[in-house]
Amino acid sequence: APGIRIDDVTHTYGRGDSSVLALNRINLDIAETEFHALLGPSGCGKSTLLYLIGGFIPVQQGTISTPRGVVRQPGPDRAIVFQNFALFPWKTVRENVLYGLKKIGLRREEAEQRAQEFISLVHLNGFENSYPSQLSGGMQQRAAIARTLAVDPKTLLMDEPFGALDAQTRRVMQEELRAIWGRTRKTVVFVTHDVQEAVFLADRISIMSSRPGRIEHVIDVPLPKD
Ligand code: ADP
Ligand code: ADP
């Protein structure tokens, strides 16, 4: 079944002489159960495409649709993990994770339990009551990942989420993410410039190039990983 359908999408930043053609006529279907990586060098339009799918920037030309309809704005079915963690600085790790769970209407007890489960998953046990400013960059990023995964969105959009982690933590997080995907088979769109990361994680990879940003190849990754 089609999960995300991207139909002839072009995106330009700015106007006139200083305008930048960030994406040029992108066509891509991502299946509902697919782990899709957008791979390419800096500036090829990966983040732009991800934000368009998320509804964070408006589609100018072409159409993006999901089973819920044409994407016009952010929706609860599509959750994003940004490159630079976006935690509430005045909330602790636990409160940050609980925030999203309350928004989707979980009872307090269930929310507490789920929060603890995902805090453990990202190896932040013992830091539940820490504030973001008390944590390293990598730990904040893991807290942001826990907050997003805990709400179990239908589509998970990730913009180089492991870029700030040290090599060992990155590997652990990649394995966890792959395992979560194996259990849930949700749609994942994962932006990276790291070939190894894309091959390890994804089912299918869009290889992008810049000037202007476009998809050169879409490849299947054949190796079984589960
Ligand atoms: P990537 O994620 O692959 O690094 P981006 O989607 O961030 O690529 O950027 C694609 C192109 O659009 C780049 O040339 C970048 O400089 C340009 N761009 C991105 N965001 C903006 C913006 N807000 N204003 C102007 N140009 C931008
Ligand atoms: P970064 O790469 O930004 O330092 P990591 O998540 O890779 O972040 O952190 C590496 C490890 O360093 C953590 O798993 C943790 O054990 C330790 N660490 C980092 N910051 C702190 C902190 N504020 N308090 C306790 N331990 C920390």
Side-chain angles (χ1 to χ4, degrees):
I4 300 166
R5 172 156 288 175
I6 299 164
D7 187 17
D8 210 13
V9 164
T10 291
H11 195 86
T12 309
Y13 288 106
R15 284 169 186 280
D17 289 347
S18 59
S19 69
V20 175
L21 180 58
L23 293 173
N24 189 34
R25 309 199 68 165
I26 301 289
N27 288 284
L28 180 66
D29 280 353
I30 300 174
E32 247 175 328
T33 56
E34 183 171 330
F35 195 129
H36 195 96
L38 301 176
L39 174 68
S42 179
C44 71
K46 304 183 294 295
S47 298
T48 300
L49 187 53
L50 196 73
Y51 297 162
L52 287 168
I53 295 168
F56 298 98
I57 50 179
V59 176
Q60 298 168 340
Q61 278 182 65
T63 313
I64 300 182
S65 52
T66 73
R68 291 168 62 121
V70 174
V71 170
R72 299 186 194 286
Q73 57 191 30
D77 57 322
R78 285 158 283 129
I80 195 160
V81 178
F82 292 99
Q83 188 166 11
N84 299 310
F85 37 87
L87 296 169
F88 298 118
W90 61 88
K91 288 180 186 285
T92 65
V93 167
R94 179 196 279 110
E95 290 164 351
N96 265 286
V97 178
L98 282 173
Y99 175 83
L101 295 174
K102 282 186 203 147
K103 260 187 25 185
I104 60 167
L106 249 58
R107 284 180 304 110
R108 179 92 204 167
E109 208 174 307
E110 200 184 335
E112 290 278 5
Q113 202 181 332
R114 177 105 59 103
Q116 194 54 55
E117 185 189 324
F118 280 86
I119 287 168
S120 300
L121 186 77
V122 299
H123 305 277
L124 282 177
N125 308 75
F127 295 95
E128 292 85 352
N129 298 318
S130 301
Y131 287 90
S133 62
Q134 297 174 296
L135 303 175
S136 71
M139 294 168 90
Q140 290 180 49
Q141 186 63 347
R142 278 142 58 199
I145 290 165
R147 188 177 65 180
T148 303
L149 288 178
V151 303
D152 193 25
K154 196 153 175 14
T155 299
L156 189 56
L157 307 174
M158 305 185 94
D159 190 4
E160 304 231 19
F162 307 145
L165 304 178
D166 65 83
Q168 195 188 336
T169 310
R170 186 184 314 145
R171 191 69 196 183
V172 171
M173 295 305 300
Q174 286 170 348
E175 275 161 14
E176 290 291 359
L177 178 61
R178 185 70 203 182
I180 288 167
W181 179 82
R183 288 197 299 275
T184 60
R185 294 292 159 121
K186 59 174 81 260
T187 316
V188 182
V189 187
F190 190 101
V191 163
T192 184
H193 61 258
D194 178 341
V195 178
Q196 273 185 299
E197 180 166 71
V199 170
F200 178 72
L201 287 171
D203 265 328
R204 271 169 92 224
I205 303 175
S206 282
I207 299 175
M208 298 180 67
S209 67
S210 39
R211 279 183 260 284
R214 44 185 247 152
I215 295 174
E216 297 290 351
H217 304 282
V218 181
I219 59 168
D220 290 312
V221 184
L223 289 177
K225 296 160 179 170
D226 306 315

